[in-house]
Amino acid sequence: MASRTPRLAPEVRRAQLLDTTLDLITEEGFAAVSVEAVARRAGVTRPVIYDQFGDLDGLMVALLDREEAAALQPLLAIVGEDQGDDVDPEAFLVEAVETFCEAVLAAPRTWRLVVMPPRGRSPELEARVTRSRRIVVERVAALLHWGLVRRGGPLGLDAELLARVVVACGEDGARLMLEQPDRFPPARLAALAREGLQLLPADATPAGAPRPTLPDLGPPRPSAARRPEPDPADPPPAPARRMPQAERRRQLIGVALDLVAAEGFGALTMEEVARRAGVSKVVVYRSFANVGVLLLALLRVAERRTRTTLEGLLPTDPAGRTPAVLLGEALASLLAAAEHDPPLWRLALLRPEQAPKAVQAVIHRRRSALARDLRPLVRWGLQGVGARASGVDVEVLTRLLLSAGEELVREVLEEPRTPADEILEKVWTLLDRLPVGD
C-alpha cells in the first residue's frame, strides 16, 4: 500500500498544490491540467484539491491570482507614483531597469507564464496579463511624464504611446534574460538604458525635417470569405463552383490566414476552414492532406509576403540620410503595410508560444533573421548620431527596436481609431530630436 501523504497546514497544502499546477503548466501546457493530474503529481487524493479550491476552475483562478500578484507587485513598486523632487530621473530609470531585470530572474516561472506562456494559453491568463499590462502602462506613462519634466525635456512627447513601447521592450528584455541569462544579464540591459539616454539629451529640439509619409499601397486587402453559422430554416447553399487546384489552394490559405489572425492557431481546423470557404471538408482535404500541412503552407505564404515587404522597407545604403529619416521611413513603410493587410500582420505578430510546438522553431528563426536584417539600419543610424553612440549595444538595441516597431503596428491593428499616420506623427516628434553628428 502507498504511504499516506503527510498532513500539512491548509496554507502550506494550498501553496504546494499551486506550485504543482504551475509545474504541470510549465512542462506540458494548460491542456494537461486536470484535478486528477494535479492530485497524482502532488501525491494527494482529489478530495484534497476540492476541499482547497472547490473545482478545477477555482484552482486555476487561484493560481492566476497568485502569479499576477507576484509579477505585478514588484513592477508597481518600481514605478511608484511619487518619486519626489530630489530624485535624478536618469539614475532612477537605469536603477528601475536593473531592478526589474533582477525581479524577473528572481521569479522565472512566474515571468515565463506571463511573457512566454505555454501551449494552450488560457483566456483567463490572457485577460489577467492584459489587465496587468494596462495598469503598468498607466504607471509608466505617469512616470515618463514626471521624468521628462524633471529632466527638463525633451518635452512634447506622447507619454502614453511611449509607455506602451517601453513596456513591450521590457517584456522582450525579460524573454531575452529567461532564454539566455548568461548572455543577457540585468547589467547589460541597464547599460543600454544608460547609453540610450545619451542619444536623447534633455535639451534636444526638433530639427524641423519633413516627416516621412506613408507610401500608397492601394486599397486594403479584402478578407477571405467568412460564412455565418447556418440557420436550419435556410435552404441548403448552392454547391461551390469548381476551381483550378492552384486557385483553390490560394483561397483556402486566405481563409486560414484570416481565421488564425482573428482567433489564433488553436482555431485552425479543416472543418472550420471548409465552413468559412463554403466548401465540403473533402475539398479541403484534396488540397491539404491534414491541418499540419495546411498550417505549414500558410506560414510559407505569410513568410514570403512579409519578407517581400520588409526587404522593400529596409534600405541597402543610408545614402546620406539622417538617423531620424532612416528610422522614420522604415516605420512609415511598416505601418502602411499593416494597414494594407491587417490579417497578414496580425499573424506575423503572434507570439511563438501561441503556435503549435511543431512551428515554434520556424517563427523563432524568422524573428531572429529579421533582427539580423535590421542591424545594418541600426548601425547606420548610430553612426549618424556620432561619438555619443559609440558604446551602444547594437545587438540588444536592434532587438528592442524590433519590439518597439511590433508594438506600434499592434497599436494600428488593435486601435482602429488611431490611424497609422497619427502614430507616425507621434513617433516623428521623438525621432526628429535625435542628434546628428557630434
Side-chain angles (χ1 to χ4, degrees):
M1 293 179 62
S3 60
R4 286 189 175 184
T5 302
R7 184 177 296 276
L8 300 177
E11 63 276 9
V12 176
R13 176 66 74 192
R14 184 178 180 88
Q16 180 219 14
L17 294 174
L18 293 176
D19 288 339
T20 299
T21 306
L22 182 56
D23 287 340
L24 188 60
I25 291 172
T26 302
E27 295 170 16
E28 302 182 37
F30 282 94
V33 178
S34 66
V35 172
E36 177 68 33
V38 174
R40 183 169 56 250
R41 180 176 280 230
V44 300
T45 61
R46 286 181 296 176
V48 173
I49 296 177
Y50 292 131
D51 287 345
Q52 288 283 344
F53 302 102
D55 54 18
L56 181 61
D57 287 344
L59 171 64
M60 292 301 296
V61 168
L63 175 66
L64 295 178
D65 280 343
R66 188 185 75 167
E67 300 308 309
E68 180 186 33
L72 191 58
Q73 287 171 0
L75 286 181
L76 296 183
I78 294 168
V79 293
E81 295 178 345
D82 185 10
Q83 303 304 323
D85 295 332
D86 57 345
V87 176
D88 177 80
E90 292 191 8
F92 173 79
L93 172 63
V94 174
E95 183 181 354
V97 170
E98 196 157 18
T99 302
F100 164 69
C101 294
E102 290 169 351
V104 170
L105 295 181
R109 291 193 310 166
T110 294
W111 281 96
R112 282 185 181 276
L113 187 67
V114 172
V115 300
M116 301 168 65
R119 299 181 302 282
R121 182 168 185 167
S122 155
E124 180 67 19
L125 174 63
E126 182 74 42
R128 300 298 180 94
V129 171
T130 299
R131 181 179 68 186
S132 297
R133 183 183 291 117
R134 184 171 58 249
I135 294 170
V136 174
V137 166
E138 290 172 356
R139 290 286 187 92
V140 171
L143 183 64
L144 288 172
H145 178 75
W146 164 83
L148 290 171
V149 172
R150 183 82 176 81
R151 187 175 183 242
L155 304 178
L157 306 182
D158 188 304
E160 183 177 352
L161 181 62
L162 187 56
R164 281 196 58 167
V165 170
V166 167
V167 171
C169 290
E171 291 174 346
D172 202 38
R175 292 185 194 96
L176 287 175
M177 290 187 297
L178 292 169
E179 291 171 343
Q180 304 178 68
D182 293 335
R183 287 190 62 207
F184 299 100
R188 185 176 180 184
L189 299 183
L192 179 63
R194 188 182 304 107
E195 293 155 0
L197 287 169
Q198 304 308 308
L199 302 180
L200 197 64
D203 58 356
T205 56
R211 192 203 76 186
T213 57
L214 296 170
D216 184 4
L217 302 180
R221 184 186 78 84
S223 295
R226 176 175 182 175
R227 298 206 165 195
E229 293 291 342
D231 186 332
D234 292 339
R241 71 177 181 87
R242 295 187 65 85
M243 289 184 185
Q245 184 71 0
E247 183 182 352
R248 177 66 74 190
R249 284 175 61 89
R250 286 193 296 271
Q251 180 216 16
L252 296 175
I253 288 173
V255 170
L257 171 61
D258 287 342
L259 174 59
V260 173
E263 300 181 30
F265 290 103
L268 183 64
T269 64
M270 303 294 266
E271 293 78 8
E272 184 61 13
V273 170
R275 187 185 73 79
R276 293 186 179 217
V279 299
S280 70
K281 287 190 295 183
V282 174
V283 173
V284 182
Y285 279 107
R286 283 197 195 113
S287 296
F288 303 99
N290 54 55
V291 73
V293 174
L294 172 58
L295 177 57
L296 289 175
L298 165 62
L299 291 175
R300 281 197 294 269
V301 169
E303 171 73 13
R304 186 165 59 248
R305 284 165 55 183
T306 53
R307 173 61 58 181
T308 299
T309 299
L310 293 170
E311 286 175 350
L313 67 88
L314 294 176
T316 57
D317 190 317
R321 284 171 285 188
T322 66
V325 172
L326 275 171
L327 294 173
E329 289 179 349
L331 179 61
S333 297
L334 182 60
L335 295 176
E339 275 198 328
H340 176 68
D341 196 347
L344 174 66
W345 291 94
R346 286 194 180 95
L347 173 62
L349 293 177
L350 286 174
R351 296 289 184 195
E353 58 272 5
Q354 295 172 308
K357 196 171 184 61
V359 300
Q360 287 182 13
V362 175
I363 299 175
H364 278 297
R365 286 198 300 270
R366 182 193 65 198
R367 200 161 189 269
S368 297
L370 177 55
R372 287 195 301 271
D373 292 344
L374 279 172
R375 283 182 198 170
L377 178 67
V378 175
R379 287 195 183 95
W380 291 332
L382 292 174
Q383 289 167 4
V385 170
R388 74 177 70 220
S390 59
V392 173
D393 189 325
V394 174
E395 181 184 9
V396 179
L397 178 59
T398 301
R399 173 72 179 250
L400 297 186
L401 282 176
L402 175 59
S403 299
E406 290 173 342
E407 188 63 21
L408 294 172
V409 171
R410 287 191 187 95
E411 180 76 11
V412 170
L413 296 175
E414 296 171 5
E415 298 291 342
R417 293 172 297 179
T418 309
D421 201 58
E422 183 177 328
I423 296 291
L424 182 60
E425 179 68 37
K426 291 178 178 179
V427 175
W428 185 250
T429 302
L430 172 63
L431 295 179
D432 197 34
R433 287 172 162 83
L434 290 175
V436 178
D438 296 323

